[in-house]
Amino acid sequence: MATDTLVTISLPKEKQSSLDRFLAKGFPTNKWEEWKYTSLKSLNDIEWNWNTSEQSANSAALALENTVEIQTQNGKMTLKGTLPTGVEYLDFASFAAQKPEFMRTFNERNPILDQNSLYDLNDALASSHQVIWVKKGVKLDKPILHTYFASVSIASAIQIKLLIYLEEGSSLTWVDDLASSEDSKSILSNYVQEIWVSKNAHLTFVKTQDFGLSTTHVDHTFINQEDQSLVDMFTFSLNGGLIRNNLHFYVDGEQVVSNLNGLYVPGNNQLVDSHTVVDHRMPNSESNELYKGVLLGNSTGVFNGKIFVRPDAQKTNAFQSCKNVLASDKATMNTKPQLEIWADDVKCSHGTTTGQLSDEALFYMQSRGISQDAAKTLLMLAFVQQVIDKVEIPALKESISNRVVTKIQQALGV
Amino acid sequence: MWFRKIYGFNFAVNYHFKNKRMLSITNLHAQIGEKEILRGINLEVKAGEVHAIMGPNGSGKSTLASVLAGREDYEVTDGSVSFFGKDLLDLAPEERAAEGVFLAFQYPVEIPGVSTTNFMKSAVNEIRKYRGEEPLDAVQFLKMFKEKMAYVNIDQSLLSRSLNEGFSGGEKKRNEIFQMAVLAPKLAILDETDSGLDIDALRIVAEGVNKLKSPDNATIVVTHYQRLLDYIVPDYVHVLYKGRIVKSGTKELALELEEKGYDWIISALVD
């Protein structure tokens, strides 16, 4: 077993207990309800290097002008350039020492860790645990770009942890450009982000995932929102052998708005699994979830969207929609909306659809001179554009759009 | 000698535009599933002509329009269709469009997320590619669209919206004629274009069609009612019944049908 080598690792007490929890559970298999379609059992067959010191060249797909960049190369995080006034980048221990009061609140939070043994593994072994701290009232007008790149010559687990802390009235746009090289040896990329959005703060978080086939990426994003805060979250899963996204929102304030946008376009031999949780714990808040998928080749998609509306969360508006197009007979999509509502004065809706492109629409377009493949491409792009268009950074929108277009065109042979 | 050359040239132009045989349908049979709907259609259409296909419900009018445009639901079991000498049935729908066939749909399809302008840009440039022509650029499109918009009195805001999505019946049909104006087909087939239109919308659509008429293109108007033919005046009227053309005549035949219905023709048939 690959995890055998972990038994010999000796860690400080707290980290050791995280490791022990992981070892007790192991990698998730499809016997676990939350991992029914996404078994990581095969990771057991790989001899992992748990703490790589290999260098990787950064070959990020994205370049944004006038942007401060934080690079993560094979799990090593480095700040490039100078952060604007009012923003700090520091390691977790230094941050905790400076903000003991916040840490008390933070430690009392109550995340739902659904059968998430990889969170424990990350906690035990993360090579970096850094903090981005946006001070009270500081509004950044330029995004901060995090380029995360992995490429290894022996199978390696790469694990980092990040805390993004927005103080009251601040605002931040954070861009996660996650990638790995196509010809790398096996990578387990295990990435945890803990995000705290204080009263009246606004976070825009755009995540692009563009990995090689040998990469298994597990993403854990936990977002706590206080009163009147706003979060616009985007997850674009473009490529990767296996991508599992756990995105959890804890709505712990009133008049909170949480927007969850997702787009996945898995191709041949790729799997994308989006597990989202929106936990409404306080009244008068709103969440909007829009996920779309185009499934190419023999790919597999999973969407599991949970919405909890707790007894105190009266006057909650929670909307969820997941729409999928199967672009081939060999593609599979599994959807499961899960709403648990304990409050009685709420508006909630959910809908999932999975289908193929309409023959009627294709014929209409062909009758105007557009070839069937071009018509399919046009329809699929129109379908995904709704999510892409919500990104407000032109260069980023263009980059995502180009990558999606190219991928769909290649799959259809246009 | 010089005048003979010129005379010959003129004659050729005249021949090409006015009398050229465009569409020949011979003994066309088509079925959907096991059900035979077209049972031996014969029809000749020449450049410059307007033909009306009339007939009671279920006679095969829309099927004929669909088969000509290449809808896959129908299987052609016998007969042939030649379009400027080419075997039309051998071509994919998009190739037929590029050769100059246009079908104005009875029920135009809603295409969410694709605007009419983007749709038409793709269509025009795909057709130009087929014909070995250079693609048009944004400026050329702008100029062309502006010109064509005037034909059907359609405005820019409608063209920027998702194609047909939330359009009224009249807007959908005007949009069809706008598309027809942009693609400038050799043969336009209007499938029940009058259905769902009030009289004002009908007039606007018909005016658009009439403006697009020229000596080198032809129109087939498929309709149940005579009223559209007050505005788009046919040279020939054909009555379709049980998958066959059972009577052909001039525009007076349409008026007679309006007055007497279809029964007098049907009862005269020795089927």
Side-chain angles (χ1 to χ4, degrees):
Chain A
M1 288 274 280
T3 49
D4 290 350
T5 53
L6 285 173
V7 179
T8 59
I9 292 177
S10 138
L11 292 168
K13 198 177 142 211
E14 270 179 37
K15 297 205 176 285
Q16 187 63 50
S17 60
S18 293
L19 186 61
D20 291 343
R21 277 199 301 278
F22 170 74
L23 286 170
K25 291 181 271 188
F27 286 120
T29 76
N30 53 14
K31 287 187 185 135
W32 302 17
E33 180 60 25
E34 298 300 323
W35 295 79
K36 199 171 165 187
Y37 304 102
T38 313
S39 176
L40 298 186
K41 211 174 163 184
S42 65
L43 299 186
N44 281 315
D45 302 334
I46 297 169
E47 282 304 322
W48 295 104
N49 173 14
W50 294 105
N51 198 355
T52 183
S53 54
E54 256 189 87
Q55 299 287 315
S56 82
N58 191 47
S59 69
L62 193 65
L64 296 177
E65 272 178 39
N66 305 318
T67 317
V68 181
E69 190 179 329
I70 292 166
Q71 287 183 355
T72 300
Q73 300 182 354
N74 284 350
K76 189 169 181 295
M77 291 183 83
T78 330
L79 171 66
K80 300 278 166 183
T82 318
L83 285 166
T85 318
V87 186
E88 283 196 46
Y89 170 76
L90 65 175
D91 66 73
F92 184 77
S94 316
F95 172 78
Q98 285 186 50
K99 297 288 282 182
E101 263 174 63
F102 170 72
M103 285 316 298
R104 269 194 293 280
T105 317
F106 184 73
N107 290 330
E108 282 165 10
R109 78 197 187 286
N110 183 19
I112 300 161
L113 295 171
D114 282 333
Q115 303 181 325
N116 196 340
S117 61
L118 285 144
Y119 177 86
D120 293 323
L121 181 66
N122 177 289
D123 196 51
L125 298 179
S127 56
S128 298
H129 189 181
Q130 294 292 122
V131 181
I132 285 287
W133 173 13
V134 186
K135 304 265 172 85
K136 192 172 173 178
V138 173
K139 294 182 192 301
L140 300 183
D141 55 351
K142 294 274 189 308
I144 296 180
L145 173 62
H146 175 213
T147 54
Y148 174 107
F149 189 78
S151 179
V152 292
S153 60
I154 52 166
S156 301
I158 289 165
Q159 314 192 63
I160 64 163
K161 192 169 184 175
L162 185 66
L163 171 65
I164 298 177
Y165 174 45
L166 274 73
E167 282 191 17
E168 190 177 333
S170 66
S171 87
L172 167 70
T173 298
W174 178 268
V175 179
D176 249 0
D177 178 28
L178 312 175
S180 65
S181 79
E182 191 55 63
D183 51 11
S184 171
K185 281 281 186 306
S186 297
I187 294 169
L188 168 59
S189 164
N190 188 16
Y191 177 32
V192 173
Q193 309 113 69
E194 291 170 322
I195 298 171
W196 197 276
V197 186
S198 307
K199 194 175 170 183
N200 252 321
H202 177 193
L203 172 70
T204 302
F205 192 134
V206 186
K207 194 193 296 274
T208 62
Q209 300 170 321
D210 200 345
F211 299 104
L213 273 179
S214 63
T215 298
T216 297
H217 178 78
V218 184
D219 208 301
H220 323 251
T221 310
F222 302 110
I223 301 176
N224 271 74
Q225 286 190 255
E226 293 182 356
D227 289 347
Q228 286 132 37
S229 64
L230 164 62
V231 173
D232 292 305
M233 180 77 209
F234 295 87
T235 311
F236 294 100
S237 305
L238 306 172
N239 277 298
L242 187 154
I243 297 174
R244 163 66 176 244
N245 290 313
N246 301 299
L247 173 62
H248 294 198
F249 275 77
Y250 305 103
V251 181
D252 252 333
E254 296 198 38
Q255 286 147 40
V256 164
V257 178
S258 317
N259 296 317
L260 297 75
N261 304 288
L263 176 65
Y264 38 92
V265 280
N268 261 335
N269 306 317
Q270 299 184 346
L271 181 153
V272 177
D273 178 342
S274 311
H275 265 64
T276 66
V277 176
V278 182
D279 189 359
H280 284 278
R281 297 167 168 183
M282 297 284 277
N284 300 313
S285 288
E286 174 187 327
S287 63
N288 302 291
E289 182 164 14
L290 174 66
Y291 270 66
K292 284 195 164 190
V294 172
L295 294 107
L296 305 161
N298 64 4
S299 66
T300 306
V302 183
F303 174 80
N304 184 309
K306 286 185 191 171
I307 295 175
F308 298 106
V309 183
R310 308 280 178 192
D312 288 342
Q314 296 293 356
K315 307 271 182 200
T316 289
N317 288 337
F319 306 109
Q320 182 190 84
S321 162
C322 173
K323 295 182 175 167
N324 303 285
V325 171
L326 297 175
S328 114
D329 294 342
K330 298 189 188 88
T332 314
M333 182 69 211
N334 308 286
T335 57
K336 185 176 173 193
Q338 244 177 299
L339 275 66
E340 293 184 25
I341 300 167
W342 291 288
D344 50 14
D345 186 13
V346 301
K347 276 186 203 150
C348 293
S349 73
H350 69 93
T352 64
T353 58
T354 299
Q356 282 166 316
L357 296 175
S358 136
D359 286 341
E360 202 49 35
L362 288 174
F363 174 63
Y364 186 60
M365 297 173 91
Q366 282 179 274
S367 80
R368 300 300 181 250
I370 300 171
S371 69
Q372 195 174 69
D373 284 338
K376 281 183 181 169
T377 312
L378 211 58
L379 287 176
M380 284 189 224
L381 295 181
F383 175 77
V384 300
Q385 209 62 40
Q386 192 193 357
V387 182
I388 299 174
D389 279 346
K390 290 186 177 192
V391 175
E392 285 174 355
I393 308 163
L396 185 55
K397 186 194 285 189
E398 203 187 318
S399 158
I400 295 165
S401 188
N402 287 343
R403 282 184 273 174
V404 172
V405 172
T406 309
K407 184 159 185 187
I408 291 175
Q409 283 177 336
Q410 277 170 357
L412 293 175
V414 181
Chain B
M1 292 302 281
W2 62 269
F3 69 87
R4 276 183 63 183
K5 243 184 196 166
I6 290 172
Y7 177 79
F9 176 70
N10 275 341
F11 177 78
V13 168
N14 213 17
Y15 175 80
H16 176 78
F17 280 171
K18 267 237 140 149
N19 299 311
K20 184 146 187 188
R21 183 183 290 174
M22 177 184 278
L23 181 76
S24 301
I25 303 176
T26 314
N27 191 33
L28 183 65
H29 288 251
Q31 61 187 45
I32 187 161
E34 292 296 303
K35 193 171 183 233
E36 188 169 49
I37 299 176
L38 300 183
R39 303 191 301 152
I41 301 268
N42 292 292
L43 183 67
E44 290 278 336
V45 178
K46 295 195 181 76
E49 294 176 347
V50 177
H51 288 247
I53 310 270
M54 301 185 71
N57 285 332
S59 58
K61 301 189 298 289
S62 284
T63 300
L64 177 60
S66 293
V67 167
L68 292 178
R71 193 189 285 272
E72 273 179 11
D73 305 347
Y74 299 97
E75 189 195 345
V76 174
T77 49
D78 201 4
S80 65
V81 180
S82 135
F83 186 64
F84 288 112
K86 282 191 184 171
D87 179 0
L88 194 68
L89 301 176
D90 217 27
L91 303 177
E94 60 268 29
E95 293 172 322
R96 299 182 196 198
E99 292 288 342
V101 176
F102 180 89
L103 172 65
F105 280 52
Q106 182 177 6
Y107 304 110
V109 184
E110 298 189 0
I111 313 279
V114 181
S115 66
T116 304
T117 41
N118 276 343
F119 180 54
M120 280 292 99
K121 281 178 185 173
S122 303
V124 167
N125 279 341
E126 285 244 345
I127 288 176
R128 293 182 70 89
K129 194 167 81 185
Y130 178 91
R131 293 175 182 164
E133 296 164 355
E134 287 295 308
L136 296 185
D137 62 27
V139 178
Q140 289 167 310
F141 270 121
L142 202 68
K143 187 168 172 284
M144 192 236 269
F145 287 160
K146 215 167 175 180
E147 195 184 300
K148 307 293 184 184
M149 276 156 63
Y151 281 91
V152 276
N153 196 14
I154 206 167
D155 65 54
Q156 183 59 48
S157 65
L158 195 71
L159 301 184
S160 311
R161 280 166 51 188
S162 280
L163 181 56
N164 292 324
E165 202 178 34
F167 285 21
S168 70
E171 286 171 334
K172 282 182 181 170
K173 295 299 166 78
R174 273 193 293 171
N175 193 286
E176 291 291 286
I177 306 306
F178 168 75
Q179 292 178 32
M180 178 175 149
V182 169
L183 298 178
K186 293 276 194 315
L187 173 67
I189 304 161
L190 312 180
D191 186 10
E192 306 272 5
T193 289
D194 49 336
S195 71
L197 290 188
D198 62 35
I199 201 72
D200 292 330
L202 184 69
R203 194 178 294 127
I204 293 169
V205 164
E207 274 170 16
V209 172
N210 288 331
K211 279 184 214 160
L212 293 169
K213 233 164 71 175
S214 83
D216 69 340
N217 64 27
T219 312
I220 296 176
V221 184
V222 173
T223 182
H224 187 80
Y225 298 107
Q226 193 272 337
R227 65 170 193 167
L228 179 63
L229 304 180
D230 287 339
Y231 300 95
I232 304 172
V233 180
D235 299 302
Y236 302 98
V237 174
H238 311 278
V239 179
L240 198 61
Y241 179 68
K242 287 192 174 170
R244 285 197 193 104
I245 290 174
V246 294
K247 194 169 177 66
S248 295
T250 53
K251 63 181 178 197
E252 285 74 21
L253 176 58
L255 294 169
E256 209 173 342
L257 289 169
E258 178 78 354
E259 197 183 318
K260 302 196 218 162
Y262 290 104
D263 288 349
W264 64 280
I265 297 179
I266 294 163
S267 57
L269 293 174
V270 201
D271 199 22

